[in-house]
Amino acid sequence: MVGSRPSRRVRARLLVPLDGTAASSAELARALRDAVRQEGSVLACAVVGARADDVERALIRAALETQVAEVVEAIGVQGHTEIALLDEAVFEALCDVGRGGALVVVQENRRTVLRSAPPREPVRPIVRHA
């Protein structure tokens, strides 16, 4: 719309590593449902070793695409998934944030520090007695 300001809120992105197992497919299904509730997306990834050649990367990507397609079809959630291959070092850096570390993203004239958020207390509904 003319004159409207674009939202500055960045939507949630859930990172889900997949390894072809039923457990990782279940995690993907759960993440997709969460992404729908949060109006976000899921980045389904496979971790690839630094020494993997192009053939190995293509095979891993094909297996990743197949696993994602099966889960998406099973739960019926379309349009909330992206697929990527992640280098082991990048994946470990992201996981370190989840374990309490910090990751600093250095970009043009700015630095952004990423840290693990403290766990939220569950919200209890207010019960009113008549």
Side-chain angles (χ1 to χ4, degrees):
M1 283 194 242
V2 176
S4 66
R5 294 174 57 189
S7 172
R8 290 186 169 211
R9 180 177 167 245
V10 177
R11 297 192 174 179
R13 292 179 60 146
L14 289 81
L15 178 68
V16 181
L18 300 177
D19 58 8
T21 63
S24 65
S25 290
E27 289 298 324
L28 177 59
R30 189 174 305 118
L32 281 168
R33 290 184 191 104
D34 287 347
V36 169
R37 279 193 297 278
Q38 298 175 20
E39 297 180 4
S41 64
V42 172
L43 178 59
C45 68
V47 180
V48 180
R51 298 179 190 250
D53 61 10
D54 290 341
V55 173
E56 187 176 355
R57 287 178 180 275
L59 291 171
I60 293 170
R61 184 167 186 90
L64 178 63
E65 289 172 350
T66 300
Q67 186 175 5
V68 169
E70 289 171 356
V71 172
V72 166
E73 184 177 325
I75 66 169
V77 175
Q78 299 285 332
H80 288 272
T81 310
E82 298 176 69
I83 295 174
L85 299 181
L86 291 182
D87 183 82
E88 284 175 308
V90 173
F91 183 71
E92 286 303 317
L94 293 170
C95 289
D96 286 347
V97 173
R99 292 189 288 263
L103 179 65
V104 180
V105 179
V106 179
Q107 294 175 306
E108 254 177 55
N109 302 321
R110 70 178 181 163
R111 293 173 183 229
T112 305
V113 179
L114 308 174
R115 290 191 182 98
S116 181
R120 291 182 178 179
E121 293 294 321
V123 178
R124 294 184 185 174
I126 298 173
V127 179
R128 296 185 181 178
H129 300 284

